[in-house]
Amino acid sequence: MNFQGTQTLNQPLQRVWDALLDPAVLQQCVAGCDKFERTSDTEYVSSVKVSIGPVSARFASTMTLLEMTPPSACTLRFAGQGGVAGFGKGEAKVALTAVSATETRLDWTADAQVGGKIAQLGARLIDGTVRKMSEDFFQRFAALLVAAPADAAPGEAASVSPPTKPTPPQAVPDSVWVATLLVGAAVLLWWLA
């Protein structure tokens, strides 16, 4: 499965980069995430409850950052297990580009493989779920960046609930997603894994 997307955020490049690598920020942005921890400079673990059609499971996942070029690009390798629901693994590339001093474009591509009950559900159902999770992730992420003070230390971002009404078109990606999970998109695929 291949996914790609673009998101424009009204924040400086370095601030977006720092937030995308902050476990506390990412945990708040992923629906169903009850654990997102950094285990080393380049590795993270998470636990996320995901429902895709009739299959609902808690996924334990790992993510490794590779080929990092701060603050503009990185590659993420992800793998996860959801018990009888299935498994997933893949890789994603994330690129950040400063559009202006206060605006950043996030581009991502991801390749993922899934197996087990999830794979039996079909690509259309998985795509719809990933699309919804991605839109929710980016709405939360954009709202969190706006709500947190610009000088907030990593992990001190304000708590943000999912928006109750759609955000303006420039804050919601036209094409979505993974996962996983950044990075947003790559992270989402990683959580589905």
Side-chain angles (χ1 to χ4, degrees), residues 12-160:
L13 179 102
Q14 186 65 50
R15 186 151 189 240
V16 173
W17 175 265
D18 292 342
L20 285 173
L21 297 180
D22 184 342
V25 170
L26 295 173
Q27 182 173 347
Q28 289 184 62
C29 293
V30 177
C33 183
D34 59 15
K35 173 184 164 186
F36 199 104
E37 298 174 354
R38 182 183 298 235
T39 58
S40 76
D41 287 344
T42 59
E43 296 180 354
Y44 296 82
V45 295
S46 73
S47 175
V48 180
K49 183 176 182 184
V50 177
S51 295
I52 301 176
V55 178
S56 181
R58 183 160 307 282
F59 287 82
S61 303
T62 60
M63 180 177 70
T64 304
L65 302 173
L66 308 166
E67 303 170 13
M68 292 184 59
T69 310
S72 60
C74 70
T75 299
L76 302 131
R77 186 166 294 144
F78 50 88
Q81 180 64 41
V84 296
F87 68 90
K89 62 182 178 176
E91 193 169 277
K93 295 187 183 294
V94 177
L96 298 177
T97 306
V99 176
S100 70
T102 59
E103 190 173 63
T104 303
R105 188 180 77 231
L106 183 151
D107 296 300
W108 54 268
T109 60
D111 293 313
Q113 300 169 346
V114 296
K117 285 185 180 182
I118 288 178
Q120 296 169 2
L121 294 174
R124 186 174 279 171
L125 184 56
I126 293 170
D127 279 352
T129 301
V130 169
R131 180 172 286 113
K132 182 177 179 346
M133 288 181 72
S134 297
E135 289 173 353
D136 185 53
F137 175 87
F138 282 118
Q139 287 176 350
R140 289 176 185 221
F141 187 71
L144 189 107
L145 285 175
V146 169
D151 59 352
E156 293 180 7
S159 292
V160 174

